[in-house]
Amino acid sequence: QVTLRESGPALVKPTETLTLTCTFSGFSLSTSLMCVSWIRQPPGKALEWLARIDWEDDKYYSTSLKTRLTISKDTSKNQVVLTMTNMDPVDTATYYCARSSGSYLGGTLDYWGQGTLVTVSS
Amino acid sequence: NFMLTQPHSVSESPGKTVTISCTRSSGSIASNYVQWYQQRPGSSPTTVIYEDTQRPSGVPDRFSGSIDSSSNSASLTISGLKTEDEADYYCQSYDSSNVVFGGGTKLTVL
């Protein structure tokens, strides 16, 4: 059974760095073709893809946010970490991690975490 | 970067058929797979169509996907609408360096 769970602070201040952890089970990021992505959704708005890391440790970032994002994995802990620097109130959103499999970037996000709401406010 | 444009909202009666479009702004819609996700209020998205036309196990065959190269768009069609189909629907595709979601379509079944 595949599960993913996001964890991190519910509240961050403007200009701070956000660190989110995705802890998963039911698959391994050392297995060929396995990938984990981060996606966010501001309240009442659309989904926005942020970043992806794959089994070979290849990393992809949203063009518009790449200067602020870093994604990494700890295969032994079954965790993927996303950091986002210089947080702003417009970054207030529910942040999801999700699994995909396949060699192409836009593979189906077949399992999602429940999401974690991050509010950016002073 | 390309964009995926969806209608903001659609509505239809139970038992009817509705089609939601997803138009790609640049690059061929046929060059990269399109996925469709359903998101009910307060829940995480789930896949209803993957790789343009494929349906995950457990998704009813009332859901179908298609690609139209002439309009550079993908479509999600839901037939025999049920009240439980009321949700937001998002298309998703990609290119060599980016994954893109459409703006979402709110389906109301009334």
Side-chain angles (χ1 to χ4, degrees):
Chain A
Q1 179 189 4
V2 173
T3 64
L4 302 100
R5 185 182 76 251
E6 306 87 354
S7 58
L11 179 66
V12 297
K13 291 181 168 54
T15 75
E16 288 186 340
T17 293
L18 171 68
T19 299
L20 295 172
T21 300
C22 175
T23 304
F24 55 87
S25 63
F27 69 99
S28 172
L29 258 182
S30 61
T31 300
S32 183
L33 304 183
M34 288 294 127
C35 314
V36 171
S37 289
W38 284 94
I39 304 99
R40 72 178 179 179
Q41 185 173 37
K45 295 189 177 182
L47 300 167
E48 178 182 21
W49 177 80
L50 299 177
R52 188 189 94 158
I53 191 165
D54 69 18
W55 75 104
E56 294 185 314
D57 207 33
D58 289 330
K59 299 158 188 172
Y60 297 85
Y61 296 100
S62 162
T63 304
S64 60
L65 292 168
K66 67 185 306 179
T67 60
R68 299 173 54 204
L69 296 173
T70 303
I71 192 169
S72 62
K73 64 181 173 78
D74 185 332
T75 304
S76 65
K77 293 183 179 179
N78 280 351
Q79 290 182 334
V80 171
V81 174
L82 180 76
T83 63
M84 180 179 291
T85 61
N86 195 24
M87 293 292 285
D88 183 272
V90 300
D91 297 312
T92 294
T94 295
Y95 287 76
Y96 297 97
C97 61
R99 187 195 82 159
S100 63
S101 59
S103 58
Y104 59 96
L105 177 57
T108 308
L109 300 160
D110 54 4
Y111 291 92
W112 295 62
Q114 84 279 8
T116 186
L117 176 62
V118 177
T119 301
V120 184
S121 175
S122 55
Chain B
N1 280 3
F2 67 96
M3 296 190 302
L4 295 172
T5 301
Q6 300 180 232
H8 182 69
S9 63
V10 295
S11 62
E12 190 51 271
S13 303
K16 299 291 190 179
T17 297
V18 70
T19 297
I20 298 171
S21 61
C22 170
T23 302
R24 181 165 174 154
S25 62
S26 61
S28 172
I29 193 74
S31 295
N32 306 103
Y33 288 127
V34 175
Q35 276 67 242
W36 289 91
Y37 302 93
Q38 176 192 70
Q39 186 179 33
R40 295 192 173 103
S43 297
S44 302
T46 61
T47 309
V48 291
I49 294 291
Y50 69 98
E51 293 181 357
D52 298 340
T53 61
Q54 303 302 303
R55 208 171 41 250
S57 60
V59 173
D61 60 6
R62 302 184 296 104
F63 290 79
S64 63
S66 63
I67 296 292
D68 181 358
S69 295
S70 65
S71 60
N72 213 36
S73 64
S75 293
L76 172 69
T77 298
I78 311 171
S79 60
L81 275 170
K82 300 184 176 184
T83 55
E84 68 204 45
D85 299 330
E86 188 161 291
D88 294 327
Y89 291 85
Y90 294 91
C91 59
Q92 172 250 310
S93 192
Y94 59 98
D95 60 17
S96 60
S97 59
N98 232 347
V99 175
V100 176
F101 285 95
T105 299
K106 180 176 181 59
L107 170 62
T108 302
V109 182
L110 36 64

